[in-house]
């Protein structure tokens, strides 16, 4: 939803999205009470900001610059809310086993090249150099391309978010026995031993000032596990983090065979 001068309409749309989400959550009986209370808390923060700014702007008397700032905040908070709603829906579908994967042949090299383009602008802002060290050949796995993209986008996005200016992020893909192992290594702020085993828990964030939802890694880990793979994390506080995703390798290129397992 893009907030324009007519933000009332967008807020109306947002309200119906939230309503839909609330119904989804209510109908998912595996979702635990503490999960719902965490969701409410996470939703309230951007909603409070949107409500506050829309009321303030509505009261009038602002110059164009101030109005622009207010509208930008509303837009940013709405994006945050939409991202949060999408993550919550994914998470609740994963919890209740309703998430269907659309399996096919996925070339991890191509996927990671695409992801590097996606995060390029964000990395450029911090003068971070992203490098992908692979041979020029396909690295095939059997998986859901969209979901794997979500997994790697989350990990690479975190690497950029938690890296220092002018640092480097190295991405490698190796074939290990029957698995493809993708490693994303940053030299950023790192994670302490105490927090490392918690960062894949839902809603856990070391520092709540960084934006985000604390759901990304929890979702990523579940997607990877649903693919029969594993997500590993190594980190040293103050030195950096390496996230490794291992996925079952696909031996034969399947360009000619349809191995879709999607359910309608
Ligand atoms: P989000 O990034 O939306 O907060 P995630 O589940 O993706 O949620 O990550 C949870 C937390 O793990 C982050 O808030 C951060 O504290 C920590 N984290 C994740 N990746 C890294 C990284 N590469 N370097 C340092 N900390 C990280």
């Amino acid at each position: 939803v893009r907030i324009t001068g007519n933000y009332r309409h967008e807020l109306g749309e947002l309200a119906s999205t939230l309503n839909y989400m609330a119904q989804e959550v209510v109908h998912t009986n595996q979702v635990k009470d503490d999960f719902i209370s965490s969701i409410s808390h996470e939703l309230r923060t951007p909603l409070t900001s949107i409500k506050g700014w829309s009321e303030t702007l509505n009261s009038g008397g602002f110059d164009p610059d101030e109005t622009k700032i207010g509208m930008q905040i509303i837009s940013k908070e709405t994006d945050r809310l939409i991202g949060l709603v999408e993550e919550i829906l994914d998470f609740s579908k994963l919890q209740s086993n309703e998430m269907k994967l659309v399996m096919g042949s996925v070339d991890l090299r191509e996927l990671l090249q695409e992801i590097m383009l996606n995060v390029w602008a964000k990395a450029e802002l911090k003068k971070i150099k992203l490098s992908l060290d692979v041979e020029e050949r396909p690295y095939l796995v059997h998986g859901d391309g969209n979901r794997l993209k979500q997994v790697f986008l989350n990990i690479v996005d975190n690497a950029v978010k938690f890296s220092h200016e002018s640092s480097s992020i190295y991405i490698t893909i190796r074939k290990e026995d029957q698995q493809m192992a993708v490693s994303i290594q940053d030299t950023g702020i790192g994670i302490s031993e105490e927090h490392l085993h918690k960062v894949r828990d839902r809603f856990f964030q070391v520092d709540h000032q960084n934006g985000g939802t604390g759901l990304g890694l929890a979702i990523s880990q579940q997607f990877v596990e649903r693919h029969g793979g594993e997500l590993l994390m190594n980190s040293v506080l103050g030195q950096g983090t390496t996230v490794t995703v291992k996925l079952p390798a696909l031996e034969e290129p399947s360009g000619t065979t349809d191995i879709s397992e999607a359910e309608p």
Side-chain angles (χ1 to χ4, degrees):
V1 177
R2 195 173 149 68
I3 297 289
T4 60
N6 181 19
Y7 57 85
R8 277 168 190 278
H9 170 69
E10 274 78 15
L11 285 176
E13 276 186 18
L14 188 62
S16 51
T17 308
L18 286 173
N19 196 20
Y20 169 71
M21 191 217 77
Q23 283 170 9
E24 282 274 319
V25 171
V26 168
H27 288 116
T28 307
N29 54 13
Q30 284 96 339
V31 177
K32 295 189 182 114
D33 289 353
D34 65 330
F35 179 53
I36 291 169
S37 86
S38 303
I39 289 171
S40 312
H41 174 76
E42 294 297 318
L43 291 173
R44 197 174 298 128
T45 315
L47 275 175
T48 307
S49 168
I50 291 168
K51 186 168 165 33
W53 271 101
S54 51
E55 281 175 359
T56 308
L57 290 175
N58 210 17
S59 66
F62 292 98
D63 67 32
D65 283 350
E66 286 168 330
T67 307
K68 199 173 164 200
I69 292 171
M71 297 307 290
Q72 280 170 346
I73 293 173
I74 290 174
S75 172
K76 203 173 131 247
E77 292 298 309
T78 309
D79 283 346
R80 188 174 156 201
L81 213 43
I82 291 167
L84 183 61
V85 169
E86 279 168 2
E87 282 195 331
I88 292 165
L89 285 176
D90 279 352
F91 191 78
S92 70
K93 276 190 200 152
L94 278 162
Q95 292 281 98
S96 58
N97 233 348
E98 282 170 42
M99 179 68 76
K100 302 279 177 266
L101 298 182
V102 183
M103 303 296 274
S105 161
V106 180
D107 178 5
L108 291 178
R109 176 172 164 262
E110 210 175 278
L111 191 95
L112 286 156
Q113 281 170 339
E114 220 178 292
I115 283 164
M116 284 169 73
L117 285 177
N118 285 167
V119 298
W120 183 82
K122 209 169 167 182
E124 190 69 9
L125 277 178
K126 291 173 82 176
K127 299 188 180 61
I128 291 171
K129 193 171 160 272
L130 284 162
S131 69
L132 175 63
D133 186 11
V134 283
E135 288 169 25
E136 284 203 23
R137 64 174 179 87
Y139 289 78
L140 298 179
V141 293
H142 180 55
D144 181 329
N146 287 331
R147 296 312 184 178
L148 289 179
K149 185 166 178 195
Q150 200 177 332
V151 167
F152 290 112
L153 196 55
N154 174 244
I155 298 167
V156 178
D157 189 69
N158 276 346
V160 173
K161 188 155 78 174
F162 298 107
S163 278
H164 305 294
E165 291 224 345
S166 307
S167 60
S168 296
I169 294 168
Y170 301 100
I171 305 172
T172 56
I173 313 175
R174 297 177 314 275
K175 175 118 194 274
E176 291 177 351
D177 302 322
Q178 300 308 308
Q179 291 191 309
M180 289 292 181
V182 180
S183 286
I184 295 106
Q185 185 192 358
D186 67 62
T187 52
I189 63 170
I191 306 165
S192 68
E193 230 182 292
E194 178 205 350
H195 290 143
L196 189 57
H197 68 282
K198 293 187 193 159
V199 291
R200 281 164 284 176
D201 290 351
R202 60 196 180 188
F203 294 114
F204 183 84
Q205 297 180 298
V206 175
D207 180 350
H208 288 272
Q209 304 306 309
N210 283 312
T213 60
L215 274 174
L217 283 173
I219 292 172
S220 296
Q221 169 150 300
Q222 293 205 31
F223 276 140
V224 171
E225 285 173 357
R226 288 280 304 272
H227 279 81
E230 55 180 337
L231 188 153
L232 309 161
M233 282 182 91
N234 277 308
S235 193
V236 179
L237 189 63
Q239 290 189 21
T241 303
T242 302
V243 182
T244 302
V245 172
K246 294 187 177 180
L247 292 163
L250 188 68
E251 293 304 331
E252 293 298 318
S254 63
T256 51
T257 37
D258 178 11
I259 51 169
S260 169
E261 288 169 11
E263 285 178 30

